[in-house]
């Protein structure tokens, strides 16, 4: 029954169609050539047309993979898998030979998956599993066409894994790495919704350590948002005297606190002053204080409770973070406060799949914009820091970067009015 709601239409399906689909399913389970799959429709033109349409629909979401077999002994040489949602493979029965000088595309990444070498070609919307290590070695060589079986080389050239160096690249291609293109393409892929589960709570479980309650924020001045935007600029002239705990608390409360949160299921929304993909707010904030109002240490800001949790033994790490900020700013002295923004990747990847990293970068940018506006309103100095400090944060927290990794950093302190605005 096919049709819009309230208007059902019946389509006649030939009686032979059931048997054809059963035969098609059996051939797909065992693997078959395109010609053999088409033959599942028998001799009835209508059934063959429906089988062809059904196969086309399976190819669109990337449900079918192509296995390249050795013509001599039938042994599998490679498995070509299209990325989900990127369309299917179109391999005609006859292919021209690969160009004699063809070599591996610059946009391929080789890695190991399930015990096999895989060439990830996100730019092309597919991956190639290489059954034999010598095939992978040949792909990395200067003249893979001279080593690879001719049929395999022709297929890899047809799908774009092997490229003819005589073909001029795009003028801007040199500005990209294979990893950068892979990240770009994967991050723009359609979201992948996983089954519901409760293993990633909306509010991060607290770290162990001494808790420091931050003072309630003082009433903010009544400057309009346009006035604050007009005055906003990065200011690196940090005063020698550090900000007070009240000033630190006011900045964090005004820019990144949880206004509303639920500690339950993974998709429970969180509300903060800045926007976030799906209201998930996967960004966590770690405040590294060195020479500030508290002993030198890295602190986790618990945005739902407006509390700092000091991470034991992190004093040296906090000072190293400040030194990195000073180098990134080319400043004369390190900022006393460095706020590291970290993404709880499983919380957002669970909903958005390969788009998650890109969305976390956008969320971190929104958080930095909020910090910059509140910092400007308060009359403090500060700016974003180019070094995200991923390694140092993992060292301070003891948390794997598979679970949480730094994506941005922000330094701030009191404004040194004597040196002027810089």
């Amino acid at each position: 029954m096919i049709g819009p709601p309230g208007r059902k239409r019946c389509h006649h399906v030939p009686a032979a169609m059931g048997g054809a689909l059963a035969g098609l399913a059996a051939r797909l389970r065992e693997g078959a050539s395109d010609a053999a799959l088409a033959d599942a429709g028998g001799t009835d033109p209508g059934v063959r047309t429906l089988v062809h349409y059904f196969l086309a629909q399976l190819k669109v979401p990337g449900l079918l993979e192509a296995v390249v077999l050795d013509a001599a002994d039938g042994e599998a040489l490679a498995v070509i898998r299209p990325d989900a949602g990127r369309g299917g493979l179109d391999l005609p029965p006859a292919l021209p030979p690969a160009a004699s000088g063809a070599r591996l595309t610059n946009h391929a990444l080789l890695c190991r998956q399930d015990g096999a070498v895989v060439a990830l070609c996100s730019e092309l919307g597919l991956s190639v599993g290489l059954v034999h290590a010598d095939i992978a070695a040949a792909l990395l060589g200067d003249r893979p066409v001279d080593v690879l079986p001719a049929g395999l080389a022709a297929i890899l050239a047809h799908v774009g894994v092997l490229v003819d160096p005589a073909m001029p690249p795009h003028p801007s291609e040199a500005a990209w790495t294979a990893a950068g293109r892979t990240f770009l393409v994967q991050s723009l892929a359609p979201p992948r919704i996983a089954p519901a589960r409760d293993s990633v709570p909306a509010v991060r479980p607290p770290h162990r350590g001494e808790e420091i309650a931050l003072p309630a924020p003082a009433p903010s001045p009544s400057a309009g948002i346009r006035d604050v935007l007009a005055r906003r600029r990065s200011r690196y002239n940090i005063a020698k005297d550090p900000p007070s705990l009240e000033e630190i608390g006011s900045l964090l409360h005004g820019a990144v606190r949880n206004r509303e949160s639920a500690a339950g299921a993974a998709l429970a929304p969180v509300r903060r002053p800045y926007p976030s993909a799906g209201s998930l707010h996967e960004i966590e904030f770690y405040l590294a204080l060195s020479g500030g109002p508290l002993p030198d240490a890295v602190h986790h800001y618990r945005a739902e409770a407006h509390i700092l949790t000091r991470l034991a033994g992190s004093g040296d790490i906090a000072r190293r973070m400040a030194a990195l900020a000073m180098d990134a700013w080319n400043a004369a002295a390190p900022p006393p406060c460095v706020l590291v923004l970290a993404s709880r990747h499983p919380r957002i990847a669970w909903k958005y799949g390969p788009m998650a990293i890109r969305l976390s970068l956008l969320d971190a940018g929104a958080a930095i914009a909020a910090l910059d506006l509140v910092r400007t309103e308060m009359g403090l100095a500060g700016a974003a820091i180019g070094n995200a400090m991923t390694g140092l944060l993992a060292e301070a927290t003891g948390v794997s970067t598979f679970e949480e990794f730094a994506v941005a950093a922000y330094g701030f302190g009191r404004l040194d009015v004597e040196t002027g605005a810089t």
Side-chain angles (χ1 to χ4, degrees), residues 42-285:
T43 58
D44 187 319
V47 175
R48 290 182 68 89
T49 299
L50 288 173
V51 167
H52 177 78
Y53 173 78
F54 187 70
L55 280 172
Q57 294 305 302
L58 289 177
K59 290 181 179 181
V60 169
L63 297 179
L64 299 183
E65 62 185 25
V67 182
V68 183
L69 304 178
D70 190 319
D73 55 16
E75 184 182 9
L77 299 177
V79 180
I80 305 176
R81 297 184 177 93
D83 294 342
R86 298 289 302 280
L89 295 170
D90 182 19
L91 298 177
L95 290 172
S100 60
R103 60 185 61 182
L104 184 66
T105 172
N106 292 334
H107 301 304
L109 288 176
L110 265 66
C111 62
R112 293 193 67 85
Q113 290 183 355
D114 300 325
V117 177
V118 176
L120 300 177
C121 306
S122 296
E123 184 83 5
L124 306 174
L126 54 84
S127 63
V128 180
L130 306 170
V131 177
H132 299 294
D134 56 346
I135 294 179
L139 275 179
L140 293 173
D142 291 333
R143 297 184 63 84
V145 175
D146 295 344
V147 182
L148 294 174
L152 176 60
I155 292 174
L156 294 181
H158 174 74
V159 298
V161 175
L162 292 180
V163 295
D164 187 349
M167 297 294 291
H170 189 281
S172 298
E173 185 175 329
W176 288 88
T177 64
R181 295 299 292 181
T182 299
F183 166 73
L184 172 67
V185 175
Q186 289 292 323
S187 67
L188 296 176
R192 181 178 64 245
I193 306 298
R197 60 180 182 178
D198 296 324
S199 61
V200 184
V203 175
R204 191 201 191 286
H207 287 277
R208 293 182 179 180
E210 179 185 354
E211 294 186 348
I212 302 103
L214 292 169
S220 62
S222 57
I225 184 64
R226 293 189 180 185
D227 174 64
V228 176
L229 282 168
R231 291 190 288 114
R232 191 226 65 82
R233 61 174 295 177
S234 298
R235 298 188 183 276
Y236 306 97
N237 48 323
I238 304 287
K240 293 182 179 179
D241 57 320
S244 65
L245 201 58
E246 289 76 12
E247 289 172 314
I248 293 173
S250 290
L251 177 60
L252 296 176
H253 187 275
V256 300
R257 77 187 186 283
N258 284 12
R259 295 186 300 197
E260 176 186 336
S261 58
L267 286 184
V270 174
R271 311 295 181 193
R272 288 178 180 168
Y274 65 91
S276 170
S279 291
L280 293 178
H281 282 289
E282 79 290 355
I283 301 296
E284 296 292 324
F285 300 89

Side-chain angles (χ1 to χ4, degrees), residues 374-399:
V374 176
R375 186 264 305 165
T376 298
E377 182 190 47
M378 294 177 60
L380 298 174
I385 300 168
N387 192 319
M389 309 185 187
T390 300
L392 287 178
L393 181 66
E395 185 180 347
T397 62
V399 176

